[in-house]
Amino acid sequence: MSGAADLSSFGLGSDSFITVLTGAGVSAECGIPTFRGAGGLWRTYRAEELARPEAFREDPRLVWEWYDYRRGICAGKQPNPAHHAITRLDEKVSDFLLITQNVDNLHGRAGTRRLVELHGNLFRARCLDCGAVTSDLPVPLPEIPPHCTCGGMLRPDIVWFGEALPEKAIREASEASRDCDLMVVAGTSAVVQPAASMPLLAKQAGAHVIEVNPDPTPLTPYVDLHLEGKAGEVMPGLVDSILELTSP
Ligand code: OAD
């Protein structure tokens, strides 16, 4: 699947606001397991069991070991053609926002600057005592659990199940979803809220929505176009098609 798509009926132009919503599938071709696909288990644990405040309170060492394992995997991978294609949109479209659920930092490493990380970032940690955020912890961690310079224990700067998303991130993402003309939804199972409702917000407000995924999701019946395929194969051509219509 090349991703070249006929978007001529979408009414896009140089003043169109383009958003992209990504999930773990966008990094799958880098060799990073998705959450709900094969390889999503660590030891015997599912993500939902460990990505919770109660799990951290009970066994911070276990939870940090899982995050450090994931930091190690992600640090050793390179952005793929889907990440680079999204960076081209960021560079060339005047009104653009990437909303990502991914915590792997690969969009940032690919050079995308206008982005909202809804679920945080694996390479940041936050002090439970003083609240300071640090992004310079070594990979792998020399000490688990790691501690802040103030002596307090650090936690991953990740939004866990049962926790509220950062207010600024959710506001920016919701506003962009309501205001955009086109949303491309790539590599997400569209089951975790509130991210899963962003494309529906966009649709209700009159935007066109394109989904890129090898499989159907609960969102598929509502989208204008479902491009069946891998993000790394579909996104470059799709971005070319969008840029053809939005370039001044
Ligand atoms: P999931 O693992 O739930 O879904 C991954 C999606 O990517 C599935 O729909 C796959 O079909 C699709 N996929 C697989 N390979 C692909 C490829 N090469 N190209 C495109 N799509 C592909 O991941 P998310 O939807 O991101 O939260 O999960 C949402 C949240 O649940 C995550 O952010 C995480 C998790 O628990 C936190 O960590 C807080």
Side-chain angles (χ1 to χ4, degrees):
M1 158 54 92
S2 75
D6 181 8
L7 311 180
S8 53
S9 63
F10 285 10
L12 298 175
S14 57
D15 59 350
S16 295
F17 182 2
I18 312 292
T19 56
V20 177
L21 171 68
T22 60
V26 160
S27 299
E29 288 150 87
C30 304
I32 300 174
T34 59
F35 291 94
R36 291 166 185 81
L41 286 185
W42 174 72
R43 296 185 190 164
T44 56
Y45 301 98
R46 284 179 299 113
E48 287 92 338
E49 293 177 65
L50 296 175
R52 331 193 136 262
E54 308 86 64
F56 188 74
R57 273 198 297 274
E58 205 171 286
D59 195 344
R61 187 180 170 81
L62 174 74
V63 172
W64 260 118
E65 280 175 356
W66 178 53
Y67 277 103
D68 204 33
Y69 162 78
R70 292 175 55 203
R71 292 167 83 244
I73 291 182
C74 297
K77 307 297 184 194
Q78 297 306 320
N80 69 39
H83 297 103
H84 293 303
I86 293 166
T87 298
R88 280 199 290 136
L89 284 177
D90 183 28
E91 288 168 351
K92 295 192 172 149
V93 172
S94 56
D95 249 346
F96 171 82
L97 187 69
L98 167 64
I99 304 165
T100 187
Q101 299 167 84
N102 295 348
V103 294
D104 56 27
N105 207 29
L106 283 166
H107 286 300
R109 284 173 55 204
T112 299
R113 294 289 164 254
R114 287 176 287 177
L115 85 171
V116 169
E117 292 175 318
L118 283 179
H119 294 164
N121 187 306
L122 278 178
F123 297 93
R124 287 196 311 258
R126 197 167 77 231
C127 178
L128 291 172
D129 285 356
C130 74
V133 172
T134 168
S135 53
D136 53 10
L137 294 177
V139 181
L141 290 168
E143 173 207 22
I144 291 185
H147 286 82
C148 178
T149 45
C150 81
M153 194 195 289
L154 293 167
R155 61 162 278 177
D157 194 19
I158 297 279
V159 180
W160 285 330
F161 286 96
E163 293 185 324
L165 272 65
E167 208 175 292
K168 183 165 174 279
I170 191 72
R171 191 180 57 246
E172 283 177 7
S174 310
E175 280 174 10
S177 302
R178 275 193 211 98
D179 293 348
C180 69
D181 300 294
L182 173 70
M183 178 179 279
V184 177
V185 183
T188 177
S189 57
V191 294
V192 173
Q193 295 293 354
S197 61
M198 298 293 159
L200 300 175
L201 280 181
K203 193 80 200 110
Q204 277 160 10
H208 288 94
V209 177
I210 301 174
E211 182 178 54
V212 178
N213 200 307
D215 295 318
T217 73
L219 181 68
T220 308
Y222 304 98
V223 301
D224 298 283
L225 188 60
H226 175 89
L227 296 175
E228 188 184 318
K230 295 181 174 177
E233 292 168 10
V234 174
M235 287 300 289
L238 176 59
V239 164
D240 287 345
S241 302
I242 295 171
L243 290 177
E244 256 171 49
L245 295 167
T246 56
S247 297

